[in-house]
Amino acid sequence: MRRTAGAAAGIALIGLAVAGCGGANQQATATTTTSAPKAVLPSPNTIALCGGVPDADIAQQTGLTDLRPEAANPMSCTWQSGDDAEAVVFHWFRGSSLTERRTQVTTGKPADVRVAGQAGLEWQDPATCELAVAFGDTDFIDWTVHRAAGAQPCRGLDQLATATLKQAGQGS
C-alpha cells in the first residue's frame, strides 16, 4: 500500500509539473504585447573621441599651434597652450537642445548660424567664441576657443564643427 500511495503521489506531482509548464506557455502567449518604437538617440560611438578632429587640424583651423591635449573622454576634450592662456574645448551634449543652451551661455549675445546645413548658435566676446550646432533631434555639439584678446576668437570653429558633423555622418 505504501508503494501505491508513493506512486500515486509521484504521478500527481508529475501531472502538476506538466500542467504548470503548459499553463506558463499559455500565459506567456496571452501576455505578449507590442509597444511603439522609441526614439533612437545617437550612440556614444556616433562621434569619435574629441569630435573626431585630429590635434593637427585643431591647430591649423584655429591658428593656435602651441596646444596640447589636457583631457579627453567620449563627451568632452580640452586642449591648452603651454602657458594656459589659450584653449580649445569640445563638448557633446546628449539630451540637451539648442533652445536650452541659448539661455545658459553668458559670453555675449547668441547669434543664429548654420553649419554644414545644421542649425547652430554662436556667442563671442573679445577673447572667447563658442559655437553650438544641432546633432540629431536631441543633442548638440559645442566647440569653444579661448585666446588672447583681439585675436579673432571664432577663427576656425565652423570648420571644426563641420568636420565633427561630417565624421559622424551628419551635415551637408
Side-chain angles (χ1 to χ4, degrees), residues 117-133:
Q118 304 294 319
L121 298 169
E122 183 179 275
W123 300 264
Q124 64 178 306
D125 65 20
T128 304
C129 185
E130 179 177 349
L131 178 62
V133 182

Side-chain angles (χ1 to χ4, degrees), residues 55-126:
D55 295 351
D57 290 355
I58 292 168
Q60 179 184 5
Q61 296 301 332
T62 63
L64 300 173
T65 58
D66 186 28
L67 296 176
R68 66 185 186 286
E70 287 291 317
N73 68 56
M75 309 309 257
S76 180
C77 293
T78 303
W79 299 262
Q80 287 192 291
S81 63
D83 62 1
D84 293 336
E86 298 175 312
V88 175
V89 180
F90 167 79
H91 290 290
W92 177 15
F93 289 90
R94 298 198 67 205
S96 297
S97 71
L98 282 176
T99 303
E100 293 169 4
R101 188 66 173 162
R102 181 182 293 276
T103 62
Q104 296 170 346
V105 177
T106 59
T107 305
K109 183 179 176 184
D112 292 315
V113 297
R114 292 205 69 79
V115 176
Q118 304 294 319
L121 298 169
E122 183 179 275
W123 300 264
Q124 64 178 306
D125 65 20

